[in-house]
Amino acid sequence: MARIKDITDYIDVIAPPETAEDWDNPGLQTGKRDQKVTSVVLSLDVTSSAIQKCVETGSNLLITHHPLIFGGIDTVSEEDTNGLLLSLLIRNGITYYAAHTNLDKANEYSNFVLASKLGAVPESIRTIDGVDYGAYYELPETVTLREYMQSIREALNSTGTISINNPDNTLRKAFVQGGSFEEDHIPAVLESGADLVVSGEIKHHVTQLLAHKGILSIIAGHNATERVFVENLKVVLEKQFPEVSFYYDEGYENML
């Protein structure tokens, strides 16, 4: 029978924790690895809904993208949101592990998957020089910004997309970066020849800078773009550990 360590070690291979940003905190956050895994819940964030899913399914491992613990811990009081969540994890015997910017940078398992979901021509998907996470891709044909925004909403099952640009503009070549787009990446994106940047979050002044350089932008939602990473990780783990049951928690529908 698989152990928790088997699963976390496998994730460490495909998304090495040492590649994470200095400010990040991926890895084991509660519990211990050296025990048999009953079943696993994956979620974008640690929420009471995700913990309840663990309890309901008898899962003793929770895997998320966003870590619950960043920096020091001031309190584990149940009057504090993070303290309550940590208490629930510990009380229910749930080992908790996060894969964050290390998973972002494992493009084959993150941004390449997102590009495919957004309609990329498979052979066009690639990284670009100077950017360690994200994917350049091309669409099968030229479309208007309005058409592509609708396509993204449907592909990501999203409630909305935002752009400052004229919706009648046309595009075919894009760069996608799940989560949030980094301003420092503008020169590399410009060099790639992309017509468009798609990301979960783009600061307003960055959309203006992109527009000034002739690049369109679409804000598709942090949750909408990154839950693709977690859904794909579930599929990858199911193939690697067929004897283990994996569940995905979508969010906040069943808060404790």
Side-chain angles (χ1 to χ4, degrees):
M1 184 175 184
R3 306 185 79 81
I4 287 176
K5 184 179 185 297
D6 297 327
I7 295 174
T8 59
D9 283 356
Y10 181 73
I11 297 174
D12 286 348
V13 169
I14 65 174
E18 61 269 21
T19 65
E21 297 290 342
D22 292 340
W23 49 263
D24 198 10
N25 188 36
L28 189 71
Q29 303 215 338
T30 69
K32 57 184 180 180
R33 294 183 174 90
D34 191 22
Q35 57 180 314
K36 293 179 180 179
V37 61
T38 53
S39 55
V40 183
V41 171
L42 293 95
S43 181
L44 186 63
D45 299 282
V46 178
T47 64
S48 57
S49 172
I51 296 172
Q52 180 172 318
K53 187 83 166 184
C54 288
V55 173
E56 290 174 348
T57 58
S59 301
N60 63 343
L61 175 60
L62 173 64
I63 299 171
T64 73
H65 187 46
H66 298 134
L68 179 60
I69 301 172
F70 280 102
I73 301 175
D74 295 321
T75 179
V76 192
S77 165
E78 294 191 19
E79 295 179 356
D80 171 80
T81 300
N82 281 9
L84 173 61
L85 293 171
L86 286 167
S87 297
L88 288 171
L89 288 165
I90 295 167
R91 186 183 305 147
N92 287 285
I94 300 167
T95 295
Y96 165 50
Y97 173 96
H100 191 205
T101 54
N102 51 318
L103 182 59
D104 291 339
K105 293 179 180 180
N107 284 299
E108 179 184 350
Y109 301 94
S110 55
N111 288 289
F112 285 12
V113 178
L114 180 55
S116 295
K117 199 170 185 68
L118 298 184
V121 174
E123 56 269 23
S124 72
I125 302 173
R126 60 176 175 82
T127 58
I128 59 176
D129 293 339
V131 179
D132 51 9
Y133 65 102
Y136 169 93
Y137 63 96
E138 297 179 10
L139 298 173
E141 59 185 10
T142 299
V143 296
T144 67
L145 181 62
R146 179 186 291 105
E147 290 169 335
Y148 197 46
M149 290 175 73
Q150 176 63 30
S151 176
I152 289 175
R153 289 194 293 272
E154 293 172 358
L156 300 181
N157 192 24
S158 170
T159 56
T161 50
I162 299 170
S163 180
I164 67 165
N165 309 118
N166 184 331
D168 292 326
N169 279 309
T170 59
L171 63 103
R172 186 169 183 180
K173 298 175 289 185
F175 175 78
V176 66
Q177 199 168 63
S180 58
F181 177 72
E182 300 292 337
E183 180 178 349
D184 292 346
H185 293 161
I186 291 178
V189 172
L190 184 64
E191 181 68 21
S192 76
D195 306 315
L196 168 75
V197 166
V198 182
S199 190
E201 299 176 16
I202 309 175
K203 293 179 179 179
H204 179 69
H205 80 275
V206 176
T207 65
Q208 295 285 353
L209 289 172
L210 288 167
H212 180 71
K213 299 291 186 180
I215 301 174
L216 307 171
S217 58
I218 296 175
I219 300 170
H222 199 115
N223 181 298
T225 55
E226 288 196 329
R227 69 186 176 213
V228 173
F229 301 174
V230 182
E231 292 167 348
N232 179 70
L233 182 59
K234 175 177 177 289
V235 173
V236 171
L237 293 176
E238 284 172 334
K239 291 179 180 177
Q240 185 68 22
F241 302 96
E243 74 279 19
V244 178
S245 295
F246 292 88
Y247 303 91
Y248 176 68
D249 185 73
E250 294 185 354
Y252 300 85
E253 290 81 3
N254 300 303
M255 298 294 281
L256 291 174

